[in-house]
Amino acid sequence: QVQLVESGGGSVQAGGSLKLSCTASVDTGCMGWFRQAPGKEREGVAVIRPVGFIASYNDSVEGRFTISRDNAKNIHLNLNSLKPEDTAMYYCAARTGWACGLEKEIFDYWGQGTQVSVSS
């Protein structure tokens, strides 16, 4: 069983920045970040491939968030120019395969989540 441990998150004012990190217990394939606000579906934020570290972003965060990857186990998400609508629980996700996408259904493993709250 793959375990994912997230760190980071917190509360900031609009326009502020945060950094999230995730460490997997074993080498993984595609990894990414999802978020879920109260009463809403979990949505893909950003994903990154294990080869070439090619990233894909949700249009709502493109240009503000940056996903990066150190190796087969660790990823980060830099959140800049935060908006109140970015407030959500953020989850790290991973799968053993290399194919990547923002669809939550393709991911096999999930972290416990870390809260990001942005006030106006």
Side-chain angles (χ1 to χ4, degrees):
Q1 182 75 9
V2 177
Q3 294 186 338
L4 304 175
V5 178
E6 300 118 332
S7 61
S11 298
V12 296
Q13 291 188 327
S17 298
L18 287 171
K19 181 176 182 178
L20 308 182
S21 297
C22 174
T23 298
S25 57
V26 299
D27 290 355
T28 62
C30 176
M31 294 184 74
W33 292 95
F34 286 72
R35 66 185 181 187
Q36 187 167 16
K40 294 189 175 182
E41 292 283 325
R42 188 172 297 190
E43 65 173 358
V45 175
V47 295
I48 187 164
R49 290 157 177 77
V51 178
F53 294 174
I54 298 171
S56 298
Y57 296 92
N58 185 306
D59 288 345
S60 66
V61 306
E62 183 88 54
R64 300 187 298 122
F65 292 7
T66 303
I67 190 170
S68 61
R69 186 163 189 164
D70 297 331
N71 48 44
K73 294 182 181 178
N74 299 312
I75 63 169
H76 311 279
L77 185 68
N78 283 291
L79 300 79
N80 297 313
S81 302
L82 281 160
K83 304 176 181 179
E85 51 263 43
D86 294 319
T87 295
M89 185 72 77
Y90 283 68
Y91 296 91
C92 179
R95 63 188 305 264
T96 53
W98 287 10
C100 248
L102 292 169
E103 302 78 20
K104 60 183 182 295
E105 292 79 12
I106 69 172
F107 287 88
D108 305 307
Y109 309 104
W110 295 87
Q112 294 294 317
T114 184
Q115 180 68 38
V116 171
S117 298
V118 185
S119 58
S120 57

